[in-house]
Amino acid sequence: MAENHKKAAGRLCYLCNQRRAALKRPKTLEQICRECFYEVFEEEIHQVIVKNQLFKPGERIAIGASGGKDSTVLAYVLSELNRRHNYGLDLFLLSVDEGITGYRDDSLETVKRNEIQYGLPLKIVSYKDLYGWTMDEIVKMIGLKNNCTFCGVFRRQALDRGAALLKVDKLVTGHNADDIAETVLLNILRGDIARLSRCTSITTGEDGPIPRCKPFKYTYEKEIVMYAYFKRLDYFSTECIYSPNAYRGFAREFIKDLERMRPRAILDIIKSGEDFRISTSTKMPEQGTCERCGYISSQKWCKACVLLEGLNKGLPKLGIGRSRGLDNNHRKDVKQSNGTKNIEGKQCGSLDF
């Protein structure tokens, strides 16, 4: 055992064959030095950006920043590549304050430090300002079972509204290869054909207010952690206190088990998702706008407005599950109460789309 350890410690980098190997790449299992790891990690992301034409010179780009490893590494690498390859981008950090005491308030302090470290302007939007509720208040009402449904819907819209305030051309997020593979599996398990057809797209929302890009589409989570660790980046590593029972967690564990047996499995799942063909007879939802707040929606009311209406009327389960908006009787009730100016009449968001 000791001899094997000495052998591994003395092994030269697989790529440069000059420096001593410092790590084994999770994606390829190659033993390489730190310098080569930095180089291939950054170059792979650069090639993804170039081949997919994610950006154009002069564009304003918002980076979804949570303070976690993915968004912190994304902000750092995108800043480096922007300078190194003259992308000509104006970069901004955009954070969402969900109102989770002991979690989001701490992670936002990390983002504020990143603002100074990377020299990127920061914009923070909050659930309280946009929706009149914090996640702490929502969890008190609904418990821990379905809170991720509310947070996911509200967060997605909050990012779009924050991006609109910044007047950016695109929003980039730190979704990595593991995240996308998990989403492919989840959409298969849920039978969600509409989302399955677009979840592997590197750019989404071209038909919406602001397109979203995923430069980390083919980047493994383990490599992001390694990069952050070796570069000594400042990031927040605590998991959300309200997400231990999230359905996605089970898919994540399954992906990790597959990766241990066969690292290539993550990329293969993404490739399978890309190659799925949706039957022409499958009815796809038609994109429209919410009658209440103007946000993109395939129903008369967007999901955020339906969820908010349930919260404000003390019926938090109203928009959970496969409901198709509000029933006719409830719509009549809502129309009659729309004239009030209290929080019950508050629309989801303070911006018009």
Side-chain angles (χ1 to χ4, degrees), residues 15-30:
L15 296 177
C16 69
N17 204 34
Q18 294 178 353
R19 292 177 289 267
R20 182 174 294 178
L23 59 99
K24 182 188 285 187
R25 275 199 81 183
K27 184 188 285 188
T28 62
L29 301 182
E30 295 168 346

Side-chain angles (χ1 to χ4, degrees), residues 217-264:
K217 178 181 175 181
Y218 301 108
T219 306
Y220 278 31
E221 182 179 47
K222 285 182 180 176
E223 297 201 352
I224 292 171
V225 173
M226 281 184 171
Y227 188 90
Y229 174 76
F230 286 124
K231 284 280 188 178
R232 299 181 183 276
L233 299 184
D234 183 7
Y235 69 94
F236 186 76
S237 58
T238 303
E239 290 292 324
C240 176
I241 58 176
Y242 293 143
S243 68
N245 299 316
Y247 187 39
R248 177 176 286 271
F250 298 104
R252 181 174 297 125
E253 287 304 312
F254 180 61
I255 293 288
K256 296 302 180 193
D257 289 340
L258 288 177
E259 184 187 11
R260 277 190 285 272
M261 293 184 286
R262 185 168 173 272
R264 177 86 198 171

Side-chain angles (χ1 to χ4, degrees), residues 67-312:
K69 62 186 184 319
D70 298 314
S71 61
T72 299
V73 172
L74 178 61
Y76 177 84
V77 170
L78 202 52
S79 297
E80 289 294 309
L81 295 178
N82 190 34
R83 284 191 289 268
R84 187 182 306 162
H85 298 287
N86 298 313
Y87 290 166
L89 306 175
D90 288 327
L91 301 176
F92 303 85
L93 296 177
L94 173 60
S95 292
V96 177
D97 181 1
E98 302 93 341
I100 304 176
T101 306
Y103 169 67
R104 183 55 71 209
D105 45 0
D106 290 338
S107 70
L108 284 175
E109 290 304 313
T110 303
V111 178
K112 290 172 185 175
R113 293 196 297 272
N114 292 158
E115 175 188 17
I116 298 167
Q117 291 159 354
Y118 308 148
L120 301 177
L122 168 64
K123 176 68 179 176
I124 300 174
V125 293
S126 74
Y127 282 9
K128 191 68 174 177
D129 290 340
L130 290 174
Y131 311 118
W133 291 79
T134 66
M135 277 309 298
D136 285 342
E137 292 167 344
I138 292 171
V139 169
K140 278 183 183 177
M141 176 177 279
I142 68 168
L144 290 171
K145 189 174 181 182
N146 293 300
N147 63 88
C148 288
T149 299
F150 285 83
C151 196
V153 171
F154 289 166
R155 181 177 176 77
R156 178 174 182 79
Q157 193 174 121
L159 282 170
D160 278 338
R161 295 188 183 281
L165 284 171
L166 286 170
K167 294 181 171 57
V168 296
D169 300 290
K170 292 187 179 87
L171 171 66
V172 297
T173 61
H175 291 97
N176 56 53
D178 301 54
D179 296 325
I180 296 169
E182 289 164 15
T183 304
V184 171
L185 284 181
L186 284 171
N187 288 330
I188 291 173
L189 293 172
R190 290 168 174 158
D192 196 332
I193 301 301
R195 285 192 176 90
L196 181 59
S197 65
R198 66 175 184 264
C199 69
T200 57
S201 300
I202 195 163
T203 301
T204 57
E206 292 99 331
D207 55 346
I210 297 165
R212 295 183 178 213
C213 305
K214 299 185 280 280
F216 283 176
K217 178 181 175 181
Y218 301 108
T219 306
Y220 278 31
E221 182 179 47
K222 285 182 180 176
E223 297 201 352
I224 292 171
V225 173
M226 281 184 171
Y227 188 90
Y229 174 76
F230 286 124
K231 284 280 188 178
R232 299 181 183 276
L233 299 184
D234 183 7
Y235 69 94
F236 186 76
S237 58
T238 303
E239 290 292 324
C240 176
I241 58 176
Y242 293 143
S243 68
N245 299 316
Y247 187 39
R248 177 176 286 271
F250 298 104
R252 181 174 297 125
E253 287 304 312
F254 180 61
I255 293 288
K256 296 302 180 193
D257 289 340
L258 288 177
E259 184 187 11
R260 277 190 285 272
M261 293 184 286
R262 185 168 173 272
R264 177 86 198 171
I266 292 175
L267 293 179
D268 288 342
I269 292 172
I270 295 174
K271 182 68 165 61
S272 297
E274 291 171 338
D275 291 344
F276 274 125
R277 294 290 179 267
I278 307 302
S279 170
T280 53
S281 62
T282 302
K283 188 177 180 182
M284 303 295 282
E286 294 180 10
Q287 199 74 276
T289 55
C290 174
E291 290 181 353
R292 196 181 195 201
C293 72
Y295 190 69
I296 53 173
S297 175
S298 58
Q299 305 297 321
K300 289 191 175 182
W301 280 28
C302 70
K303 189 71 170 177
C305 279
V306 174
L307 291 172
L308 263 182
E309 186 65 19
L311 286 172
N312 293 332

